[in-house]
Amino acid sequence: MRIVSYNVNGIKARLPRLLEYLDEEQPDIVCLQELKSSDETFPEADIRAAGYGALWHGQKGFNGVAVLARGADPVERQRGLSGEPEDDHSRYLEAEVDGLIVASIYLPNGNPQPGPKFDYKLRWIDRLRDRAAALLAEERAVVLAGDYNVIPNDDDTFSVRAMQSDALMQPESRAGYRALLAQGWTDSLRTRFPNGGVWTFWDYQAGSWQRDAGFRIDHLLLSPIAADRMVDAGVDKAYRGREKASDHAPTWVRLR
């Protein structure tokens, strides 16, 4: 079973690339982020025509997450995180597919920092950690897949100096991510590539793709039962280089 996390950076703008990816790679489950689409304008018909059932939690113009399943309809478990009733951002969607629990996550960016956006990011990580603890208590196979907007380690970026003032790499952001892992989650890509140097995002600016000036912010975290089933993990980097591609590459884990 191949589970993919893919920040599409606008599903309407990137629909040809997404459909191309589904056709060529045939992943079993795809967690999408940054749909930038309302619920009403989500391209369900195109995705169903490609052979995938879908759940989505949209928001006009920004945010938005979805879960796609090949040849099946994902069963919704939860949308949004508790703990902040006034938060109307579409950033979390949890579903079940063939006995596997998956969550599509689009964690806040947090820039500029310091400031209210960074404070919101840290509160959101705390809320995610509360939900993650509840999922671990179920003792099920779970994959928390998404754009976490956290660069966990110095070797997860092309340049520590270039990113040192960014919200993605602040000590508080990293501490929140480490606290999540400390619950018992396995960072699948880090497990596969323990020495780092693997990127999932390349900015559109300053020739970042051409210079391979990227960093790792897309993560698939595995519960202990899911981690026991892990076979491989990787990044489909070549898709970032295609015409009118997202600035993220599809990132995946394969489970038995």
Side-chain angles (χ1 to χ4, degrees), residues 1-4 27-31 67-70 97 100 102:
M1 178 180 281
R2 195 170 190 237
I3 301 101
V4 174
D28 297 287
I29 299 171
V30 183
C31 294
V67 177
L68 315 184
R70 184 160 61 94
V97 181
L100 179 71
V102 295

Side-chain angles (χ1 to χ4, degrees), residues 45-239:
D46 295 285
I47 287 169
R48 285 203 175 276
Y52 286 76
L55 288 173
W56 60 95
H57 182 24
Q59 188 169 352
K60 185 178 179 180
F62 63 118
N63 300 330
V65 285
V67 177
L68 315 184
R70 184 160 61 94
D73 287 316
V75 178
E76 183 172 328
R77 285 172 51 99
Q78 179 172 315
R79 60 179 55 207
L81 294 172
S82 61
E84 201 162 325
E86 66 278 13
D87 182 8
D88 59 357
H89 286 198
S90 299
R91 295 183 176 276
Y92 183 89
L93 183 62
E94 184 182 301
E96 186 165 336
V97 181
D98 292 335
L100 179 71
I101 297 171
V102 295
S104 185
I105 293 164
Y106 181 42
L107 205 141
N109 177 283
N111 283 304
Q113 69 82 30
K117 290 187 176 182
F118 189 62
D119 295 341
Y120 170 60
K121 177 192 187 90
L122 299 181
R123 293 197 308 273
W124 208 95
I125 295 175
D126 289 343
R127 291 161 60 204
L128 175 62
R129 196 160 62 245
D130 289 343
R131 180 60 191 158
L135 287 168
L136 285 177
E138 294 189 39
E139 298 186 351
R140 300 271 306 275
V142 184
V143 180
L144 303 180
D147 176 358
Y148 283 69
N149 272 312
V150 175
I151 299 170
N153 310 286
D154 285 356
D155 56 13
D156 287 320
T157 177
F158 76 102
S159 170
V160 170
R161 182 178 179 181
M163 298 303 297
Q164 64 185 356
S165 63
D166 197 286
L168 278 60
M169 217 175 75
Q170 293 310 296
E172 299 92 335
S173 303
R174 287 179 161 184
Y177 186 79
R178 285 196 301 270
L180 187 61
L181 292 181
Q183 292 180 334
W185 299 92
T186 294
D187 181 334
S188 56
L189 203 61
R190 187 71 181 182
T191 300
R192 176 65 179 80
F193 300 98
N195 296 322
V198 176
W199 319 144
T200 67
F201 172 91
W202 297 258
D203 198 282
Y204 290 130
Q205 308 299 319
S208 296
W209 169 249
Q210 292 78 8
R211 295 185 296 117
D212 197 29
F215 41 84
R216 186 175 77 99
I217 54 175
D218 301 272
H219 312 305
L220 296 103
L221 304 189
L222 311 179
S223 69
I225 292 173
D228 286 344
R229 294 167 50 186
M230 178 177 156
V231 176
D232 199 4
V235 181
D236 288 330
K237 180 178 177 179
Y239 285 89

